[in-house]
Short mmCIF file of all heavy atoms in Angstrom, two decimals:
data_model
loop_
_atom_site.label_atom_id
_atom_site.label_comp_id
_atom_site.label_asym_id
_atom_site.label_seq_id
_atom_site.Cartn_x
_atom_site.Cartn_y
_atom_site.Cartn_z
N LEU B 19 -2.29 -21.50 -2.86
CA LEU B 19 -2.21 -22.97 -2.70
C LEU B 19 -3.41 -23.40 -3.47
O LEU B 19 -4.59 -23.20 -3.22
CB LEU B 19 -2.29 -23.29 -1.35
CG LEU B 19 -2.34 -24.87 -1.17
CD1 LEU B 19 -1.16 -25.39 -0.31
CD2 LEU B 19 -3.66 -25.36 -0.45
N VAL B 20 -3.17 -24.30 -4.43
CA VAL B 20 -4.23 -25.02 -5.31
C VAL B 20 -4.00 -26.50 -5.28
O VAL B 20 -3.03 -27.08 -5.45
CB VAL B 20 -4.11 -24.53 -6.68
CG1 VAL B 20 -5.27 -25.14 -7.57
CG2 VAL B 20 -4.31 -22.90 -6.83
N GLU B 21 -5.16 -27.27 -4.91
CA GLU B 21 -5.09 -28.68 -5.01
C GLU B 21 -5.84 -29.15 -6.28
O GLU B 21 -6.78 -28.67 -6.62
CB GLU B 21 -5.61 -29.28 -3.73
CG GLU B 21 -4.66 -29.09 -2.58
CD GLU B 21 -5.41 -29.71 -1.24
OE1 GLU B 21 -6.45 -30.42 -1.38
OE2 GLU B 21 -4.91 -29.40 -0.20
N ILE B 22 -5.25 -30.15 -6.95
CA ILE B 22 -5.98 -30.62 -8.14
C ILE B 22 -6.11 -32.13 -8.04
O ILE B 22 -5.32 -32.78 -7.20
CB ILE B 22 -5.09 -30.28 -9.32
CG1 ILE B 22 -3.64 -30.85 -9.31
CG2 ILE B 22 -4.96 -28.78 -9.59
CD1 ILE B 22 -2.87 -30.76 -10.65
N GLU B 23 -6.87 -32.69 -8.85
CA GLU B 23 -7.16 -34.08 -8.78
C GLU B 23 -7.14 -34.63 -10.26
O GLU B 23 -7.58 -33.92 -11.14
CB GLU B 23 -8.58 -34.46 -8.16
CG GLU B 23 -8.36 -34.86 -6.73
CD GLU B 23 -9.65 -35.11 -6.08
OE1 GLU B 23 -10.63 -35.49 -6.70
OE2 GLU B 23 -9.70 -34.98 -4.80
N GLY B 24 -6.94 -35.81 -10.44
CA GLY B 24 -7.13 -36.52 -11.78
C GLY B 24 -6.08 -36.41 -12.82
O GLY B 24 -6.25 -36.63 -13.92
N VAL B 25 -4.93 -36.02 -12.28
CA VAL B 25 -3.77 -35.94 -13.21
C VAL B 25 -2.96 -37.17 -13.33
O VAL B 25 -2.98 -37.95 -12.25
CB VAL B 25 -2.68 -34.69 -12.67
CG1 VAL B 25 -3.21 -33.49 -13.44
CG2 VAL B 25 -2.58 -34.71 -11.34
N GLU B 26 -2.29 -37.42 -14.35
CA GLU B 26 -1.46 -38.56 -14.47
C GLU B 26 -0.15 -38.26 -14.80
O GLU B 26 0.12 -37.31 -15.45
CB GLU B 26 -2.04 -39.63 -15.41
CG GLU B 26 -3.26 -40.38 -14.84
CD GLU B 26 -4.02 -41.14 -15.80
OE1 GLU B 26 -3.48 -41.41 -17.02
OE2 GLU B 26 -5.14 -41.55 -15.58
N ARG B 27 0.99 -39.10 -14.37
CA ARG B 27 2.25 -38.93 -14.87
C ARG B 27 2.81 -37.55 -14.55
O ARG B 27 3.58 -36.96 -15.23
CB ARG B 27 2.49 -39.21 -16.32
CG ARG B 27 2.44 -40.76 -16.56
CD ARG B 27 2.99 -41.07 -17.92
NE ARG B 27 2.09 -40.56 -18.86
CZ ARG B 27 0.97 -41.18 -19.36
NH1 ARG B 27 0.62 -42.34 -18.71
NH2 ARG B 27 0.24 -40.76 -20.28
N LEU B 28 2.26 -36.96 -13.40
CA LEU B 28 2.86 -35.54 -13.03
C LEU B 28 4.18 -35.80 -12.32
O LEU B 28 4.31 -36.78 -11.61
CB LEU B 28 1.88 -34.86 -12.21
CG LEU B 28 1.89 -33.43 -11.93
CD1 LEU B 28 1.85 -32.83 -13.23
CD2 LEU B 28 0.84 -32.98 -10.97
N SER B 29 5.16 -34.89 -12.55
CA SER B 29 6.28 -35.00 -11.66
C SER B 29 6.56 -33.84 -10.90
O SER B 29 6.07 -32.72 -11.18
CB SER B 29 7.62 -35.35 -12.60
OG SER B 29 7.57 -34.45 -13.69
N MET B 30 7.32 -33.96 -9.79
CA MET B 30 7.57 -32.74 -8.93
C MET B 30 8.27 -31.70 -9.79
O MET B 30 9.01 -31.91 -10.61
CB MET B 30 8.52 -33.23 -7.82
CG MET B 30 8.04 -34.07 -6.71
SD MET B 30 6.80 -33.02 -5.77
CE MET B 30 7.93 -32.39 -4.50
N LEU B 31 7.92 -30.46 -9.35
CA LEU B 31 8.42 -29.26 -10.00
C LEU B 31 7.81 -28.95 -11.24
O LEU B 31 8.11 -27.99 -12.01
CB LEU B 31 9.93 -29.22 -10.04
CG LEU B 31 10.70 -29.28 -8.69
CD1 LEU B 31 12.15 -29.12 -8.93
CD2 LEU B 31 10.10 -28.23 -7.78
N GLU B 32 7.03 -29.92 -11.83
CA GLU B 32 6.43 -29.71 -13.21
C GLU B 32 5.44 -28.50 -13.16
O GLU B 32 4.74 -28.28 -12.20
CB GLU B 32 5.62 -31.00 -13.61
CG GLU B 32 5.16 -30.83 -15.03
CD GLU B 32 4.54 -32.04 -15.63
OE1 GLU B 32 5.01 -33.17 -15.07
OE2 GLU B 32 3.82 -31.98 -16.49
N LEU B 33 5.53 -27.76 -14.18
CA LEU B 33 4.59 -26.62 -14.31
C LEU B 33 3.30 -26.99 -14.88
O LEU B 33 3.19 -27.85 -15.74
CB LEU B 33 5.35 -25.62 -15.21
CG LEU B 33 5.11 -24.13 -14.88
CD1 LEU B 33 5.67 -23.84 -13.53
CD2 LEU B 33 5.84 -23.34 -15.93
N MET B 34 2.18 -26.45 -14.21
CA MET B 34 0.80 -26.66 -14.70
C MET B 34 0.18 -25.34 -15.11
O MET B 34 0.88 -24.26 -14.67
CB MET B 34 -0.02 -27.22 -13.67
CG MET B 34 0.61 -28.47 -12.98
SD MET B 34 0.37 -29.95 -13.86
CE MET B 34 -1.44 -30.10 -13.96
N THR B 35 -0.80 -25.31 -15.86
CA THR B 35 -1.46 -24.07 -16.07
C THR B 35 -2.99 -24.34 -15.58
O THR B 35 -3.44 -25.34 -15.86
CB THR B 35 -1.50 -23.55 -17.54
OG1 THR B 35 -2.10 -24.63 -18.35
CG2 THR B 35 -0.07 -23.32 -18.03
N LEU B 36 -3.47 -23.35 -14.98
CA LEU B 36 -4.75 -23.42 -14.24
C LEU B 36 -5.79 -22.53 -14.78
O LEU B 36 -5.54 -21.35 -15.07
CB LEU B 36 -4.61 -23.16 -12.75
CG LEU B 36 -3.56 -23.91 -11.94
CD1 LEU B 36 -3.43 -23.41 -10.59
CD2 LEU B 36 -4.08 -25.35 -11.91
#
Side-chain angles (χ1 to χ4, degrees):
Chain B
L19 178 119
V20 178
E21 284 176 17
I22 58 172
E23 263 178 27
V25 273
E26 280 168 20
R27 284 193 293 282
L28 193 60
S29 48
M30 281 294 271
L31 298 187
E32 183 169 341
L33 212 61
M34 309 281 293
T35 61
L36 302 174

